Amino acid sequence: MDSYVSSVVSRLQMLYTSDHSSVVSMNLFVALLCACIVISHLLEENRWMNESITALIIGLCTGVVILLVSGGRSSHLLVFSEDLFFIYLLPPIIFNAGFQVKKKQFFRNFMTIMLYGAVGTLISCCIISVGATLAFKKMDIGSLDVGDYLAIGAIFAATDSVCTLQVLNQDETPLLYSLVFGEGVVNDATSVVLFNAIQSFDLSHFSPSIAGQFVGSFLYLFFTSTVLGVFTGLLSAFIIKKLYFGRHSTDREVALMILMAYLSYMLAELFYLSGILTVFFCGIVMSHYTWHNVTESSRVTTKHAFATLSFVAEIFIFLYVGMDALDIEKWRFVSDSPGTSIAVSSVLLALVLIGRAAFVFPLSFISNLSKKSTNEKIGIKQQIIIWWAGLMRGAVSMALAYNKFTSLGHTNVRDNAIMITSTITVVLFSTVVFGLLTKPLIRLLLPHTKQKPKGILDPTSPKSNTVPLLGEGQDSLDDIGGQDGLRPNSLRALLTTPTHTVHYYWRKFDNAFMRPVFGGRGFVPFVPGSPTERSVHNQLQ
């Protein structure tokens, strides 16, 4: 009996110690997040630094300290998990991107964005896969099959344009900002869908039928994921419009918006679709319909809540990547051949540069052929910035690499360790080196672009950082096309302004059918005692 009691006590002590160590780790990590925010604020006007680089460098420094304190056993506070990234950190980032997207510019340049984000990502993936196959077979990195090389292409085709977006001003360079931003989101979705499709097919015995199934699966995921996101966004708008939560509690409508947004992502994962595409288009639909159906206080709350969650998630990711870069376990497997690891990283960096250039400039030329106005064409300086913006690799590449080459963040196979350490090297080098040069490069190519101070907030807009994107009379799906409300009065006019006609009919359809059912600007529910009622009452007086 005594032995049994002592065994239970020892287990409880071990559990308590484990829980306490987890609490200590979380305390340190939260403190580091606070430090990142403070230091990023102090370096706001710095010519070279930005938030992601700051978090990455702080993570590296913290990793060095932990490595020294632990006697070389560990360099991070938390164990990396793909679930942590894909289920908890990525959804708020992508949703906020859709929620705050400047829809007028996004849909006006939709075809070009799809060219870059979908077609361009496929081209880049093919070039990286073929280049890696030719180069790695001559190196001593173990046995990789066709599926591994294609997965490497998908991993390193995933871009991270955060550094560039933090420098560009979307009001001074709306076309450039829209292209970089839109391509970044579509690129992430394409890379993840492509990676999952590669994982689900046996590509060791490649045949035309498998190729057809692969393409069909890719297109199916794209289409169904988009439809699911639109459906979830419309459902949230309909529920909030019909039930008038704001009459009793604004907390309920805020909670419902947040939960419905997250539900869209989890439904996509449940049905093996692309959660990135689903939650992005859910954000677009919510900003067009749902956001206008809630009370004024809820608009301000949701605007700040979504932006804050996205900001913290981004800082969290870069901070962890910085610490995990010094994980001694992975580097121990490649310590006997550091030259191989350096060579693999160099090859991957070169392929990233080549793969990026292989589609940006040709696809820009194709896009310019369809543009009649000089202002709508993508100039060579803008093409260089678009090319540069996609050279950085970030959290998506890391997560996909861990998913492919590790088990719960750990690996005991040498060739897998080489691929993980090479991915870490590429992410660090591209984010720090290319990221540090982003501001000077953009200021050199676009000397008149000046950053406006962040934090200018407008309660009538979901955009919570620089300037209002969906304020009254500004940007919405119904404003796409600007002056395109006029009907073409001849066949020639119809042929020269085809997109304007599409936008015109979309507005007619939206005003006649969508807004009366799902709400939106001009169809806001009447809530007694709300600021809307008081403002209307004051106008009548």
Side-chain angles (χ1 to χ4, degrees):
M1 183 68 180
D2 292 339
S3 60
Y4 175 77
V5 172
S6 61
S7 174
V8 171
V9 171
S10 63
R11 289 181 182 179
L12 289 175
Q13 288 177 343
M14 290 176 60
L15 182 62
Y16 173 78
T17 304
S18 175
D19 289 342
H20 183 70
S21 62
S22 299
V23 171
V24 171
S25 298
M26 288 305 301
N27 272 278
L28 290 174
F29 209 94
V30 171
L32 288 173
L33 287 172
C34 295
C36 288
I37 294 173
V38 173
I39 295 174
S40 298
H41 172 73
L42 296 176
L43 297 175
E44 183 69 28
E45 301 301 325
N46 187 277
R47 182 180 179 184
W48 304 89
M49 299 295 289
N50 57 51
E51 290 161 352
S52 56
I53 297 176
T54 302
L56 201 59
I57 293 176
I58 291 176
L60 280 170
C61 296
T62 306
V64 172
V65 173
I66 297 174
L67 201 61
L68 294 175
V69 171
S70 65
R73 292 192 303 272
S74 176
S75 67
H76 45 69
L77 300 170
L78 304 172
V79 177
F80 184 87
S81 169
E82 296 86 18
D83 290 342
L84 173 67
F85 175 75
F86 282 108
I87 296 180
Y88 300 108
L89 298 178
L90 191 59
I93 296 175
I94 302 299
F95 176 81
N96 188 62
F99 193 70
Q100 295 186 14
V101 66
K102 197 163 187 175
K103 293 180 286 294
K104 180 178 178 180
Q105 285 293 332
F106 180 83
F107 285 101
R108 176 180 291 173
N109 303 303
F110 185 75
M111 294 309 299
T112 305
I113 288 172
M114 292 303 296
L115 271 178
Y116 286 148
V119 179
T121 301
L122 291 173
I123 294 174
S124 179
C125 176
C126 293
I127 291 176
I128 294 173
S129 298
V130 172
T133 303
L134 297 175
F136 292 170
K137 285 185 176 179
K138 300 179 181 179
M139 302 179 185
D140 181 25
I141 61 171
S143 57
L144 299 175
D145 56 25
V146 176
D148 292 330
Y149 287 119
L150 289 174
I152 290 171
I155 290 169
F156 289 96
T159 65
D160 191 330
S161 53
V162 172
C163 294
T164 307
L165 291 174
Q166 289 175 349
V167 179
L168 289 175
N169 185 287
Q170 55 188 328
D171 286 317
E172 295 186 5
T173 56
L175 173 63
L176 184 59
Y177 188 95
S178 174
L179 293 177
V180 173
F181 171 83
E183 187 222 338
V185 176
V186 178
N187 168 272
D188 286 344
T190 305
S191 300
V192 174
V193 170
L194 193 59
F195 180 84
N196 291 334
I198 291 170
Q199 296 288 86
S200 61
F201 280 89
D202 181 14
L203 300 173
S204 57
H205 302 87
F206 194 75
S207 65
S209 61
I210 293 180
Q213 294 176 12
F214 182 83
V215 173
S217 174
F218 184 82
L219 296 176
Y220 166 78
L221 287 174
F222 247 88
F223 177 76
T224 51
S225 300
T226 302
V227 170
L228 179 60
V230 172
F231 172 78
T232 311
L234 291 176
L235 180 62
S236 70
F238 182 79
I239 292 174
I240 290 178
K241 178 176 181 292
K242 289 297 181 183
L243 298 182
Y244 303 131
F245 287 92
R247 288 180 301 177
H248 306 295
S249 172
T250 58
D251 297 338
R252 293 174 184 172
E253 58 186 5
V254 172
L256 188 62
M257 281 189 71
I258 295 175
L259 292 175
M260 288 291 286
Y262 190 66
L263 179 64
S264 70
Y265 185 89
M266 295 311 299
L267 283 174
E269 294 298 313
L270 177 66
F271 296 114
Y272 302 100
L273 303 176
S274 171
I276 294 179
L277 270 178
T278 298
V279 78
F280 177 70
F281 280 97
C282 179
I284 291 179
V285 173
M286 275 194 174
S287 68
H288 184 61
Y289 296 109
T290 313
W291 190 78
H292 292 280
N293 294 343
V294 300
T295 59
E296 283 80 358
S297 59
S298 295
R299 294 180 194 177
V300 176
T301 302
T302 52
K303 174 187 65 176
H304 289 285
F306 291 138
T308 302
L309 289 172
S310 173
F311 173 77
V312 173
E314 286 184 4
I315 297 298
F316 187 102
I317 290 170
F318 280 103
L319 184 63
Y320 184 85
V321 168
M323 284 192 291
D324 198 61
L326 297 174
D327 186 3
I328 199 67
E329 175 190 324
K330 301 179 183 67
W331 292 102
R332 187 179 291 120
F333 286 99
V334 298
S335 59
D336 59 336
S337 55
T340 302
S341 181
I342 295 174
V344 171
S345 302
S346 302
V347 168
L348 290 172
L349 272 172
L351 290 173
V352 165
L353 292 168
I354 296 171
R356 184 76 185 165
F359 76 83
V360 168
F361 299 106
L363 293 183
S364 298
F365 175 77
I366 294 174
S367 176
N368 286 339
L369 293 177
S370 63
K371 305 290 179 62
K372 300 185 181 299
S373 172
T374 306
N375 295 331
E376 295 179 351
K377 293 187 176 182
I378 308 169
I380 186 62
K381 292 183 178 179
Q382 293 175 319
Q383 293 178 34
I384 293 174
I385 293 176
I386 293 171
W387 169 74
W388 183 270
L391 295 180
M392 275 72 82
R393 295 297 178 266
V396 175
S397 294
M398 287 286 295
L400 294 180
Y402 273 94
N403 183 280
K404 177 65 180 178
F405 297 108
T406 69
S407 174
L408 298 177
H410 300 284
T411 180
N412 295 315
V413 181
R414 179 177 174 274
D415 53 337
N416 288 353
I418 289 177
M419 292 311 306
I420 291 294
T421 54
S422 299
T423 304
I424 292 172
T425 303
V426 171
V427 169
L428 287 177
F429 183 88
S430 61
T431 302
V432 175
V433 177
F434 295 157
L436 286 174
L437 296 175
T438 298
K439 277 188 181 180
L441 176 67
I442 292 179
R443 290 181 180 180
L444 176 66
L445 296 176
L446 304 174
H448 299 295
T449 300
K450 296 180 180 179
Q451 261 191 299
K452 292 186 178 181
K454 294 183 180 181
I456 301 176
L457 305 176
D458 180 7
T460 64
S461 163
K463 180 64 179 175
S464 59
N465 282 325
T466 48
V467 290
L469 291 188
L470 198 59
E472 294 300 324
Q474 283 196 13
D475 185 33
S476 182
L477 285 173
D478 60 316
D479 295 325
I480 299 171
Q483 60 186 2
D484 51 14
L486 300 176
R487 290 177 179 266
N489 54 14
S490 66
L491 179 60
R492 181 176 181 181
L494 177 65
L495 293 176
T496 55
T497 58
T499 56
H500 291 182
T501 306
V502 172
H503 298 153
Y504 171 80
Y505 284 114
W506 158 252
R507 284 203 310 277
K508 297 284 286 184
F509 174 77
D510 193 30
N511 291 331
F513 299 101
M514 300 297 288
R515 287 186 173 185
V517 176
F518 299 106
R521 192 193 309 165
F523 290 86
V524 181
F526 178 80
V527 180
S530 69
T532 302
E533 183 200 26
R534 290 196 296 270
S535 63
V536 172
H537 179 71
N538 293 334
Q539 289 176 2
L540 293 176
Q541 288 179 341

